[in-house]
Amino acid sequence: MTQTTFLPIVLAAGLGTRMRSTLPKVLHPVGQLPMVGHVLKALRNAGAERAAVVVGPQMEALEQLVAEVLPGSTCHVQTERLGTAHATLAAAPAMEAGADEIMVLYGDCPLVQPETIKEVRAQLAAGSDVVVVGFEAENPHGYGRLLVSDGQLTAIREEKDASEAERKVTLCNSGIMAFKGTLALELLKSIGNDNAQGEYYLPDAVELANARGLKVSTVSTDEEEVQGVNNRLQLSDCEAVFQRRCREAAMLNGVTLLAPETVFFSHDTLIEQDVVVEQNVVFGPGVTVKSGAFIRAFSHFEGAVVGEASTVGPYARLRPGADLSANSHIGNFVEIKKATIGEGAKVNHLSYIGDAHVGAKSNIGAGTITCNYDGFGKHLTEIGAGSFVGSNSTLVAPLKLGDGVYVAAGSVVTKEVTDNSLVIGRAGQVEKTGRADLLRARFKAAKEKASGK
Ligand code: UD1
Ligand code: CA
C-alpha cells in the first residue's frame, strides 16, 4: 500500500496590525506556546510530518519555532500581502513537489483539534475534491459566509462583498480548506482579485471548483475550536478556552484541582495521577509533577520536576532546573533554581537554593542562602546526605559539605567541610555580667545632658 502524502500549508505572514505589537501576530503565545505552534502541534497529532509555513519577511523567530515544533517543514516568504490565496501560492514550490492532500490552515487559529483535521482528510479520501471547515457563528460579523444550495457548498462570500441577504447567513468559513493534491495549484492560480478589497481570496476556490463540476463538501465544527485572533481581547478568549481544556484534561486524568479556575497551565505541563493542586498556582513551560505530590497555594513553577509524594509551597518558586526527588519538602518563600533536592530532603522556609545539590534526607534551615553568583560566574554548592544546615546560614559557592555535616545557625561557610563535621562560622558569643545596667545609665545621662535638664 502506498502512503497518502499530506501537505498542510499554514498561513502566518500577516502582520496582525490590530494586535498593536512589534511581535508578529502568530508568535503571541497561548498556554506559553506561540499560536502557530499550536496549529503545528495539532497537525503533528493528526499525522502530518511536515508543513509549508508562509511567513513574512524577517520573521526568523517564527522560522526557528517551525523547525522546533515540526522539523522537516519548510518556510516560504510572502513579501507582499495580497490576500490569503496569494499567501497560499507562496508555498507553490512545496505544492509543485506533489502531494495527495493539501490543506490550508491559518496560523492565528490556535484551538484547532487534530480530530477535525483527520475528518477533513477522511472526506478527501472518500472522494471530495475540496473540503471546507465551517461553523455556526453566534455573531458572523467579519467572517466569510458559506452559501449552500441543494446541500452543495457553492461559494464563500466575504463580509465586504456580501449582499444584505447573504450577510444574514450564520454558517461561516473557519479558514481551513483542503484540496485534492492534483487540483490545488490550478485552482489557486485561477483566483482573481476582483472584489471589495482587491485581494486574492482563498475562499474563492469554492466557486471556481463548482464551475469545474468538482465535488465540494463541508465539515462542521464548534465556533470555539476555530475562533481566530485579530486583537488581544480575542487572544485572551483563546487563552481562557485553552486553560479550561487543560484543567478538564488534568482532572479527568486523576488530578485534584481545588479551585480549577485559578490554576494555570502551560502547553507542555505534565501532572501525574493523585496530585493535589491548591488555589492560585502557575505552571510555566517544562514542568512535570509526579504522582501523589501536593502543590500548595500560590506556588510558581518553570522548568521544574516535582518528585513523587513531595510537597511544595505555599508560596514556593521553582525555577528552571529545579529537580526534586521523591518525598521532598519545599516550603513557604523558598526559591529553587538549577538544583537537585535529594529524596526526603527538606527546605521548609525562606531559602534560596541555586546551582546546588542537596543530598537525601538533609535539612536546610530557615533563611539559608546559597551564594552562587560573584557578579561574574555561577558556582556550585554540594551538600551531602543527612546533613543539617542551621538557620540563616550563608553558603558561599563553590562549596562542598560532606554527608552528616552539622552547620551551626548563622554560619558563613566558605571552605569545604568533611563528612560528619560540625562547622561554626560566626563570631563567638561574649557575655559581660551586669554591663546592661551600666550601659542604660550611661545612655540616660547622655540624653539628659543633650536636652539641658
Ligand atoms: C479569513 C477568510 C474568511 C474566514 C476568516 C476566518 C479570506 C479572504 N477570508 O478572513 O472567509 O471566515 O478568515 O477567520 O481568506 N495572511 C497571510 N497573507 C496575506 C493575508 C493573510 O499570510 O496576504 C494570513 C494571516 O496571517 C492570517 C490568515 O492568513 O493568519 C487569515 O488572514 P486574515 O486577514 O486574518 O483573514 P480574515 O479577514 O480574518
Ligand atoms: Ca483572521
Side-chain angles (χ1 to χ4, degrees):
M1 198 183 89
T2 53
Q3 240 195 329
T4 314
T5 52
F6 175 38
L7 175 66
I9 299 174
V10 179
L11 304 191
L15 283 175
T17 328
R18 285 166 287 176
M19 295 296 282
R20 295 184 171 271
S21 175
T22 52
L23 189 68
K25 175 164 76 173
V26 298
L27 287 183
H28 281 262
V30 167
Q32 314 265 348
L33 178 72
M35 287 192 268
V36 65
H38 287 271
V39 177
L40 295 171
K41 255 176 100 172
L43 283 166
R44 202 176 64 199
N45 293 336
E49 284 163 359
R50 59 174 176 149
V53 183
V54 178
V55 305
Q58 279 143 17
M59 290 190 179
E60 288 79 14
L62 173 55
E63 296 190 27
Q64 200 183 327
L65 176 91
V66 172
E68 279 163 25
V69 182
L70 198 55
S73 297
T74 49
C75 288
H76 307 266
V77 180
Q78 183 198 21
T79 22
E80 278 179 296
R81 291 167 179 90
L82 304 179
T84 46
H86 179 262
T88 311
L89 278 170
M95 287 188 263
E96 277 155 8
D100 301 317
E101 299 171 353
I102 289 174
M103 184 182 298
V104 182
L105 303 97
Y106 295 167
D108 63 355
C109 293
L111 299 172
V112 60
Q113 296 289 287
E115 292 69 33
T116 304
I117 294 167
K118 286 185 191 160
E119 211 181 318
V120 173
R121 294 188 65 187
Q123 287 213 10
L124 285 179
S128 288
D129 297 306
V130 178
V131 182
V132 173
V133 177
F135 65 99
E136 275 297 334
E138 201 170 312
N139 170 14
H141 180 79
Y143 287 116
R145 310 298 207 282
L146 301 193
L147 308 183
V148 179
S149 93
D150 295 334
Q152 165 91 355
L153 176 64
T154 55
I156 301 179
R157 193 78 71 234
E158 291 305 303
E159 169 102 10
K160 287 181 178 149
D161 300 283
S163 67
E164 199 72 20
E166 287 167 342
R167 281 185 195 186
K168 293 211 170 76
V169 173
T170 51
L171 185 60
C172 292
N173 176 24
S174 70
I176 301 171
M177 192 179 291
F179 304 90
K180 190 174 274 178
T182 46
L183 300 169
L185 258 182
E186 205 269 311
L187 270 178
L188 288 165
K189 283 181 178 165
S190 61
I191 292 173
N193 66 349
D194 181 16
N195 53 52
Q197 301 186 85
E199 281 187 7
Y200 297 88
Y201 291 163
L202 178 64
D204 282 358
V206 168
E207 212 162 348
L208 292 165
N210 273 280
R212 285 166 172 70
L214 298 172
K215 185 169 175 199
V216 182
S217 68
T218 57
V219 162
S220 51
T221 183
D222 288 343
E223 178 162 14
E224 183 180 279
E225 187 188 335
V226 289
Q227 70 192 75
V229 173
N230 295 320
N231 59 39
R232 296 195 201 223
L233 288 177
Q234 290 167 333
L235 182 67
S236 77
D237 289 342
C238 279
E239 182 74 37
V241 173
F242 178 80
Q243 292 298 337
R244 199 195 68 225
R245 283 181 182 173
C246 291
R247 291 165 190 145
E248 287 173 2
M251 290 187 280
L252 293 173
N253 279 334
V255 177
T256 294
L257 302 181
L258 291 184
E261 65 285 1
T262 69
V263 177
F264 294 84
F265 292 86
S266 184
H267 66 102
D268 58 355
T269 310
L270 288 173
I271 305 195
E272 293 183 0
Q273 214 171 299
D274 288 320
V275 168
V276 176
V277 183
E278 286 188 350
Q279 299 82 350
N280 298 294
V281 171
V282 176
F283 295 105
V287 176
T288 299
V289 181
K290 299 202 175 154
S291 60
F294 188 39
I295 308 300
R296 306 194 61 191
F298 296 100
S299 293
H300 190 281
F301 299 80
E302 286 167 287
V305 177
V306 177
E308 263 173 52
S310 293
T311 37
V312 178
Y315 299 97
R317 179 171 185 209
L318 267 52
R319 292 174 49 206
D323 187 349
L324 318 187
S325 302
N327 296 304
S328 49
H329 289 235
I330 303 301
N332 44 275
F333 306 107
V334 170
E335 174 178 344
I336 311 266
K337 186 218 76 167
K338 205 174 175 191
T340 57
I341 307 295
E343 194 163 341
K346 295 177 180 169
V347 191
N348 272 331
H349 334 265
L350 302 152
S351 286
Y352 171 63
I353 304 296
D355 299 294
H357 299 300
V358 175
K361 294 239 162 70
S362 281
N363 186 93
I364 308 297
T368 297
I369 304 292
T370 54
C371 306
N372 60 325
Y373 185 50
D374 54 19
F376 295 92
K378 302 279 169 66
H379 304 285
L380 186 66
T381 300
E382 292 172 88
I383 301 171
S387 288
F388 184 97
V389 177
S391 296
N392 209 31
S393 291
T394 302
L395 307 177
V396 183
L399 182 67
K400 205 166 177 174
L401 308 185
D403 296 335
V405 161
Y406 234 98
V407 177
S411 290
V412 177
V413 186
T414 58
K415 291 198 276 289
E416 178 166 350
V417 180
T418 53
D419 291 354
N420 298 309
S421 292
L422 163 67
V423 61
I424 308 170
R426 63 188 185 212
Q429 184 168 315
V430 178
E431 179 168 341
K432 300 189 176 177
T433 318
R435 279 286 284 277
D437 276 342
L438 284 175
L439 214 54
R440 272 189 286 271
R442 190 200 294 165
F443 292 155
K444 188 168 179 237
K447 192 174 178 184
E448 285 170 0
K449 191 175 170 200
S451 61
K453 268 194 196 162

